[in-house]
Amino acid sequence: MKLEQIYTGCIAEAAYYITSNGEAAIVDPLRETQPYLDRLERDNVKLKYIFETHFHADFVSGHIDLAKKTGATIVYGPTTMKTGFEMHVGTDGEIFKVGGIEIKLIHTPGHTMESSCFLVSDEDGKEQGLISGDTLFIGDVGRPDLAQQVIADLTQDKLARHLYHSLRTKIMPLSDDLIVYPNHGAGSACGKNMSKETTDTLGNQKKTNYALQEMTEDQFVEAILTGLTTPPQYFPKNVLMNIQGYDSLDSIMEKAQKAFSVNEFEVLINETKVLILDTRRAEIFAKGFIPNSLNIGLESNFASWVGELILDIKQEIIIVAENNEKVKEAIIRLLRVGYDNAIGYLEGGFEAWQNAGKEINIVHRITAEQLEKHCNQKKQIIIDVRKVSEFQSEHLVDAINIPLNVLHNHLAEFPRDKAFILHCAGGYRSMIAASMLKQKGFDNFVDVIGGFNDIKETSLLKTEYVCPSTML
């Protein structure tokens, strides 16, 4: 038996590839299916099952395309949900054979009602691993407030109570030496404080995971609901795509990779409502960009920030990237979160635009040392766009917190008649914020290079550090 975790850092997602005696199963696949098809061919195995731990909210799964291309059966846990594709609705305790191994479905409602874990036993019948989906993470458990975004009756309180019993009656009785294989790690918004580790023994989680400690049901509900924030706006839209179905990735990729010349690009952005998405790094974008561009750099949690900030999942998008390889990467990462309407890219990128003598814009930046000097000379308006939890943990005294994910709802709080300074943790998010402000006509600010990471090294007055209880 081989059980391999395939981890994708940009969305903090783990898929699983399991093989035995010429057959295979894949759990929670990403939307781009070709890497899985290549692996199956290389290993000379036939895909028998595609297991889904639940209807995902933070990404669009590849279950539909993968099933069409391989003939594999899609399996979900107990659900009455009507889907836009054929699937097998599993039952609690149902056993699926893959080659010489067995995979047991364990129904664990709580994150969602159909949420299930899969217990993998090897050819000798020994239980080896628990693929725990969003039921159990390393150091955390799945947040129970997401399903109500799709089904109003499924309140976070009801789901939290389901989760309490699922963990204590279905998961905790299992063997301590089982390896826990979750669907997400640190950086995902499906939990509030996940570890950077992506596997652990169940025994160690019983000792260290706050949600698995001895407590009453009411205490558990309070513990897991504390520190939750409003989930990203694209989550319920991804859930519906995973339930109802979607267009094939291959057809979308073909449309999205259309090259536009500078003149064609200019006509398009002037005559339509297409969004210019500039995926270059913050330090490059700041030096010159096409007016009205939204900068979300590929080097960090690109897909998650697209989902947070581009409110219309059907928005037509045209890409500006460093090169054609980066264009393709951007398209794939857009598709992972359901943004299927990329219509092409600017051929030659920003350099072609600039060389054609077209109008450009810039973002003025200063270092943390320059900020320190300015603040020593005169009181400054400083706006911190980090998460609330980061800000509460430690921040500059008198700084104003307007988190990036809600910035579009708080534009009136940014002064137009006074200069202000913008920063995040390291410069990635503040450049996104800068591009959004530039779109709205703000030009009276500067961005801090290196963000709060560099600011901490200065003598500027900061609040006392408090260890954050949530990463949301």
Side-chain angles (χ1 to χ4, degrees):
M1 179 188 82
K2 177 168 69 173
L3 195 169
E4 180 182 350
Q5 182 184 75
I6 304 173
Y7 197 79
T8 304
C10 71
I11 55 172
E13 192 272 349
Y16 294 93
Y17 175 74
I18 309 165
T19 60
S20 173
N21 298 345
E23 292 187 331
I26 294 176
V27 186
D28 293 338
L30 289 182
R31 194 169 178 186
E32 60 271 26
T33 59
Q34 195 57 48
Y36 306 121
L37 299 174
D38 293 343
R39 181 74 61 88
L40 293 164
E41 182 178 5
R42 185 167 66 247
D43 292 346
N44 193 28
V45 293
K46 178 176 175 59
L47 186 62
K48 188 174 183 180
Y49 294 112
I50 301 162
F51 294 109
E52 291 284 342
T53 56
H54 61 294
F55 294 114
H56 302 286
D58 61 314
F59 70 99
V60 179
S61 176
H63 57 308
I64 300 173
D65 280 353
L66 194 55
K68 288 178 180 177
K69 292 180 178 181
T70 63
T73 299
I74 299 170
V75 179
Y76 277 92
T79 181
T80 57
M81 190 70 68
K82 292 183 179 180
T83 61
F85 51 88
E86 290 186 6
M87 68 169 182
H88 174 83
V89 178
T91 57
D92 188 28
E94 185 172 356
I95 292 175
F96 301 84
K97 294 185 180 295
V98 177
I101 69 171
E102 292 185 347
I103 300 176
K104 181 180 180 180
L105 188 155
I106 302 175
H107 186 214
T108 53
H111 177 63
T112 64
M113 285 307 295
E114 77 285 347
S115 282
S116 298
C117 301
F118 294 95
L119 180 61
V120 182
S121 299
D122 65 17
E123 288 86 353
D124 296 324
K126 178 173 173 52
E127 295 175 352
Q128 295 285 356
L130 180 73
I131 298 175
S132 57
D134 284 22
T135 297
L136 176 63
F137 299 125
I138 307 306
D140 203 358
V141 291
R143 55 191 292 180
D145 62 325
L146 300 183
Q148 66 186 0
Q149 306 296 318
V150 179
I151 303 172
D153 289 342
L154 290 177
T155 66
Q156 60 184 24
D157 183 83
K158 286 180 182 178
L159 284 166
R161 294 179 188 280
H162 278 297
L163 185 56
Y164 175 82
H165 293 286
S166 290
L167 291 168
R168 279 151 180 78
T169 64
K170 301 288 188 71
I171 302 302
M172 292 179 69
L174 297 173
S175 173
D176 285 357
D177 62 0
L178 273 178
I179 304 298
V180 177
Y181 296 102
N183 187 220
H184 296 292
S188 169
C190 291
K192 63 180 182 178
N193 205 358
M194 284 178 255
S195 169
K196 292 180 181 178
E197 301 298 321
T198 59
T199 62
D200 193 9
T201 63
L202 181 56
N204 193 50
Q205 283 302 294
K206 290 176 186 178
K207 294 176 184 176
T208 61
N209 191 317
Y210 77 97
L212 303 187
Q213 305 313 302
E214 185 175 344
M215 65 183 88
T216 66
E217 183 175 322
D218 287 341
Q219 288 171 332
F220 176 86
V221 171
E222 182 180 1
I224 68 166
L225 295 186
T226 299
L228 293 180
T229 60
T230 303
Q233 62 87 27
Y234 72 103
F235 272 23
K237 301 168 187 176
N238 276 196
V239 171
L240 292 176
M241 290 181 72
N242 283 318
I243 293 172
Q244 298 170 354
Y246 46 75
D247 292 335
S248 74
L249 181 141
D250 296 339
S251 63
I252 297 169
M253 286 291 294
E254 184 177 352
K255 176 191 71 173
Q257 292 186 85
K258 179 180 179 181
F260 287 88
S261 69
V262 169
N263 289 338
E264 291 170 331
F265 183 92
E266 186 173 35
V267 169
L268 191 68
I269 63 175
N270 286 336
E271 296 184 0
T272 71
K273 294 183 179 180
V274 66
L275 172 68
I276 309 168
L277 181 58
D278 192 319
T279 65
R280 295 175 299 153
R281 288 168 290 164
E283 62 270 23
I284 297 175
F285 178 85
K287 295 174 182 177
F289 61 91
I290 300 167
N292 292 316
S293 297
L294 173 64
N295 173 238
I296 305 179
L298 280 174
E299 75 274 16
S300 190
N301 296 330
F302 169 80
S304 299
W305 282 115
V306 165
E308 286 266 24
L309 300 175
I310 302 178
L311 302 183
D312 182 3
I313 202 168
K314 296 182 179 180
Q315 169 69 55
E316 287 193 335
I317 294 168
I318 191 161
I319 296 166
V320 176
E322 292 179 33
N323 53 53
N324 288 353
E325 186 177 315
K326 296 293 187 183
V327 168
K328 186 175 181 180
E329 181 183 348
I331 295 167
I332 289 173
R333 290 168 71 173
L334 286 167
L335 293 172
R336 285 177 183 164
V337 288
Y339 286 77
D340 290 3
N341 286 321
I343 62 171
Y345 66 97
L346 174 58
E347 189 171 21
F350 174 73
E351 288 74 16
W353 178 270
Q354 187 175 35
N355 292 338
K358 303 298 183 181
E359 180 186 358
I360 68 168
N361 207 336
I362 63 170
V363 174
H364 294 286
R365 309 183 86 194
I366 60 172
T367 65
E369 291 76 15
Q370 289 171 317
L371 172 65
E372 183 177 24
K373 183 178 179 181
H374 289 320
C375 289
N376 287 335
Q377 293 173 346
K378 181 182 177 183
K379 187 175 181 180
Q380 304 288 326
I381 300 172
I382 299 174
I383 299 179
D384 183 337
V385 299
R386 294 178 300 158
K387 298 175 184 177
V388 172
S389 59
E390 294 173 277
F391 183 80
Q392 291 176 341
S393 176
E394 187 180 17
H395 62 267
L396 286 171
V397 172
D398 295 332
I400 301 165
N401 183 216
I402 304 178
L404 175 60
N405 65 316
V406 295
L407 183 148
H408 57 275
N409 291 327
H410 295 268
L411 289 169
E413 296 173 35
F414 288 87
R416 287 190 178 272
D417 58 342
K418 297 177 183 177
F420 61 93
I421 295 166
L422 203 62
H423 81 81
C424 62
Y428 177 84
R429 285 173 288 175
S430 60
M431 190 55 62
I432 298 175
S435 68
M436 295 171 69
L437 291 170
K438 288 282 188 177
Q439 286 178 324
K440 298 300 181 181
F442 288 89
D443 200 34
N444 53 324
F445 66 90
V446 296
D447 172 55
V448 179
I449 300 168
F452 196 71
N453 293 338
D454 285 358
I455 292 170
K456 283 192 295 186
E457 304 303 316
T458 70
S459 62
L460 291 170
L461 191 60
K462 295 169 280 291
T463 59
E464 186 175 346
Y465 176 79
V466 178
C467 184
S469 61
T470 177
M471 298 303 292
L472 293 174

